[in-house]
Amino acid sequence: MKDKLKGLIVGLTIGSLVVGSTVFAGTNVKLNAVLENVKFMFNGVEKQSSQSIIYNGQLYVSASSFAKNSGQDFTYDGKNKTAWVGKKEGDFKYLSDLSYARTDIEGVKFHFNKWVNAGDYILSPYNGKFIIAENEYIHGIAIENMFFQSNTGKGSIEYNLNGKYKKLTGLVGIDDHSKDSANPGMVKFIADGKEIYYSSEMLGGDLPKEIKLDTSGVLKLRIEFTTTGEDYRSSTMIDFVEAKLFQ
């Protein structure tokens, strides 16, 4: 059989079998595809070749073999329809998906899981994903200064954890939509009235800071976002992304 089979009709369960730039949900789908013998190079080192599917100009390969060839563990959780590449974490909830207890804002607006343009009076006209140092994130909490030529802002958000979570992890940084701002941003975490983390000043273009906090027994978590500076032409947008609470 030739390595390349043009016009091959392949029946696939797309959602659970393959990895590509696009993920499809669904059951068995018939499609016109090409089967290619593809050579994989990882950081210049050739790994195992395998037959892979070419469809609409996209390459689809086995997720498990791709992960293992790159030196990562692979686990598929069929119950939760989740594929883990690398270390599999325990059960968690995204902080941005929880209902917050209250917010306290002064010249800022909160966004959850994506930027949403609420009108012309909002300084940032952006819609879509949070981005820090060119990396996109699907989950998170972010603030923006609401009014043009307002170089400072402060906002806090509180969650009732009720002692149910042992650990909080995530990344904090300045969103690329305001990476040219000269004004720094800071994030502070307060658990039951006690400060447990302060990020120090962050500027656009900086890599995000990793957050790993012990929240055992914490009843109420308060997160304070602050922007300061002297440049009245700049507005700083702060992200807290991939924020996960582990039970």
Side-chain angles (χ1 to χ4, degrees):
M1 182 180 291
K2 295 181 180 180
D3 289 338
K4 184 174 181 180
L5 301 178
K6 293 185 177 179
L8 177 67
I9 303 298
V10 185
L12 296 174
T13 305
I14 297 292
S16 61
L17 180 63
V18 296
V19 159
S21 63
T22 305
V23 177
F24 297 86
T27 56
N28 292 334
V29 178
K30 284 190 175 181
L31 47 86
N32 291 316
V34 176
L35 196 61
E36 292 271 16
N37 193 36
V38 177
K39 178 172 62 179
F40 293 99
M41 304 291 290
F42 291 85
N43 296 319
V45 178
E46 183 176 347
K47 298 291 185 178
Q48 180 180 350
S49 299
S50 67
Q51 287 193 325
S52 304
I53 296 168
I54 311 295
Y55 175 66
N56 278 352
Q58 301 293 326
L59 173 67
Y60 294 88
V61 301
S62 163
S64 59
S65 63
F66 191 87
K68 290 174 182 177
N69 275 328
S70 62
Q72 299 284 340
D73 293 330
F74 178 83
T75 305
Y76 179 63
D77 181 352
K79 178 180 178 181
N80 296 306
K81 304 297 183 184
T82 303
W84 291 91
V85 178
K87 182 180 179 182
K88 185 178 185 297
E89 298 177 306
D91 293 335
F92 66 86
K93 292 184 179 180
Y94 285 109
L95 182 65
S96 55
D97 291 341
L98 298 182
S99 296
Y100 60 84
R102 68 182 303 271
T103 60
D104 181 15
I105 60 175
E106 181 182 332
V108 300
K109 174 180 172 60
F110 278 101
H111 296 255
F112 300 90
N113 295 327
K114 64 179 181 179
W115 295 109
V116 178
N117 182 14
D120 293 338
Y121 67 94
I122 300 297
L123 181 61
S124 73
Y126 308 110
N127 288 285
K129 297 177 182 178
F130 302 144
I131 308 173
I132 305 175
E134 299 183 354
N135 289 313
E136 296 183 349
Y137 301 92
I138 297 174
H139 301 276
I141 303 167
I143 67 162
E144 63 168 326
N145 291 355
M146 288 181 65
F147 303 107
F148 182 63
Q149 291 188 336
S150 172
N151 65 317
T152 61
K154 181 182 294 185
S156 68
I157 187 167
E158 295 182 1
Y159 288 90
N160 291 321
L161 303 187
N162 298 319
K164 296 191 298 183
Y165 302 98
K166 296 180 180 179
K167 182 174 64 173
L168 172 66
T169 65
L171 301 165
V172 294
I174 304 302
D175 196 280
D176 282 5
H177 288 117
S178 63
K179 65 182 180 181
D180 293 326
S181 174
N183 300 320
M186 294 79 72
V187 180
K188 183 186 296 185
F189 293 81
I190 301 170
D192 293 333
K194 180 181 178 181
E195 180 181 318
I196 58 175
Y197 179 85
Y198 178 62
S199 70
S200 72
E201 293 186 349
M202 302 177 292
L203 289 171
D206 292 345
L207 293 175
K209 298 178 184 293
E210 186 175 13
I211 304 296
K212 289 184 178 180
L213 302 177
D214 183 358
T215 55
S216 300
V218 172
L219 301 179
K220 177 169 287 188
L221 177 70
R222 176 183 173 93
I223 308 172
E224 296 181 354
F225 300 80
T226 305
T227 63
T228 62
E230 299 179 356
D231 187 352
Y232 283 86
R233 299 167 298 176
S234 297
S235 177
T236 302
M237 303 154 74
I238 310 175
D239 301 341
F240 179 31
V241 294
E242 292 304 305
K244 301 173 184 175
L245 284 165
F246 293 85
Q247 294 182 324

